[in-house]
Amino acid sequence: MQYRTISSGSTSFEVSTLCLGTMFFGTRTDTATSLAILDRFADAGGTFVDTANNYNAWVGGHGRDSEDVLGEWIRRRGGLGDVRLATKLGAAKKDPALPLQNVEPTNFQGLSADVVAREARLSLEHLGIDRLDVLYGHVDDRETPLAETVAAFGQLQREGLVGIAGISNVALWRLVEAREEALRQGVDPYGVVQQGYSYVYPSPAAGRTNDVSVELLDFAASAGVDGRPPLTITAYSPLHQGAFTRDDKPMWAPMRHASNRERLRVLHDLAAEIGATPNQVALAWLLGGPVPVIPVVGISSVAQLEEALAAVDLVLEPEERDRLDAADLVLDAEVRARLEPA
């Protein structure tokens, strides 16, 4: 296992460069399998685990199923030890009688001061711990004043209930403003941002702000100096729930374009040449980039975990990375050549 330090400026700690996502623990992934995955991850040196207070709500769970499984695992092993735990709040159901969805009306609880204070404490109860290493706002809330949300996370930090605050599914300008607001209030800013990110990328669309952008990578690379506290990027859906290798798992509609089809072809070709799986190459691409990110890998079996763990030590040669990066550029050039007049 490899490790890196994440920090908000005044609070810092080391985590594994692979983060274990636990979205369906306790529902689609039964408790016994979930506990076995957690044990194997810890045995392999994994020290970063990710959950939320609303996972499983859309597959028959009550929302905190994965937190409850983690709570059982923590009790079984007598505490977290060197494992660092992240959870999220703000995207659970505001009205239990209405559906939870990504389109309006979303029915999200939001990030008001009351929600942040209440839901953080409920997560602590379900997990059976007295401090959250990382607490994310699950989805940015533009209806609540930014100063109120920032102050609420700052208060949890002052009380010692949260180590590092984070935000997910957020526009870059909102992240920047929130961090500036935290500095004005004299509290630690968001030190972690979690966005969708993988070897393939979505087609452009107005209003899509939940993916890692070139600008976000550049912003994170510029952090960690005087007046600009550190910022770590964690990436959800780095393998698109198996879509890189399974025909029965189509990628999301915004990912189904010609450039990505070419990238996937090159991904599979390179994996076969170097004796790795496409998933391992995709994870190595993320881990070894110019601005490294921490992939949050959703796992439903120990076998899947073993595959992901092997990616940690897979180092892509410069020419291999160049080949992966240039895949869609070659296609674009071919398309332009066909369209240009003779």
Side-chain angles (χ1 to χ4, degrees), residues 13 16-17 19 33 55 58 69 86 105 125 139 142 153 166 183 187 205 216 219 257 263 276:
F13 45 78
S16 54
T17 54
C19 180
T33 302
Y55 284 162
W58 51 88
V69 170
E125 290 178 15
V139 178
R142 299 193 184 188
F153 277 90
L183 295 177
V187 300
L216 175 58
F219 181 68
H257 53 77
R263 287 174 82 82

Side-chain angles (χ1 to χ4, degrees), residues 132-197:
L132 298 166
D133 296 303
V134 178
L135 178 64
Y136 294 96
H138 203 158
V139 178
D140 186 28
D141 176 6
R142 299 193 184 188
E143 296 182 4
T144 298
L146 198 56
E148 178 181 338
T149 300
V150 168
F153 277 90
Q155 179 61 30
L156 291 174
Q157 290 172 317
R158 277 192 294 268
E159 293 178 36
L161 300 180
V162 170
I164 298 176
I167 188 68
S168 182
N169 298 302
V170 64
L172 177 57
W173 70 269
R174 290 277 294 177
L175 171 64
V176 173
E177 288 200 357
R179 280 167 56 94
E180 291 297 319
E181 175 62 26
L183 295 177
R184 284 192 291 271
Q185 293 188 17
V187 300
D188 280 354
Y190 294 137
V192 188
V193 57
Q194 186 172 127
Q195 301 280 87
Y197 190 39

Side-chain angles (χ1 to χ4, degrees), residues 89-114:
L89 53 76
K93 287 185 177 184
K94 184 176 183 179
D95 184 344
L98 298 176
L100 191 67
Q101 54 193 16
N102 289 325
V103 296
E104 295 295 339
T106 60
N107 195 30
F108 294 149
Q109 287 179 320
L111 299 176
S112 69
D114 288 345

Side-chain angles (χ1 to χ4, degrees), residues 239-257:
L239 302 177
H240 287 271
Q241 298 179 332
F244 289 172
T245 57
R246 292 176 55 180
D247 293 336
D248 63 328
K249 289 277 190 177
M251 286 192 294
W252 305 328
M255 301 289 179
R256 298 175 206 156
H257 53 77

Side-chain angles (χ1 to χ4, degrees), residues 235-320:
Y236 66 78
S237 296
L239 302 177
H240 287 271
Q241 298 179 332
F244 289 172
T245 57
R246 292 176 55 180
D247 293 336
D248 63 328
K249 289 277 190 177
M251 286 192 294
W252 305 328
M255 301 289 179
R256 298 175 206 156
H257 53 77
S259 289
N260 278 345
R261 287 194 290 274
E262 178 66 8
R263 287 174 82 82
L264 287 176
R265 183 190 68 79
V266 173
L267 178 70
H268 279 254
D269 287 351
L270 179 60
E273 291 170 20
I274 66 176
T277 68
N279 286 336
Q280 289 166 346
V281 174
L283 290 174
W285 182 85
L286 287 170
L287 290 164
V291 183
V293 304
I294 297 176
V296 181
V297 184
I299 299 295
S300 60
S301 70
V302 173
Q304 287 180 1
L305 176 61
E306 296 293 353
E307 180 186 22
L309 289 171
V312 174
D313 294 321
L314 176 60
V315 178
L316 298 173
E317 297 296 333
E319 59 271 20
E320 294 169 344

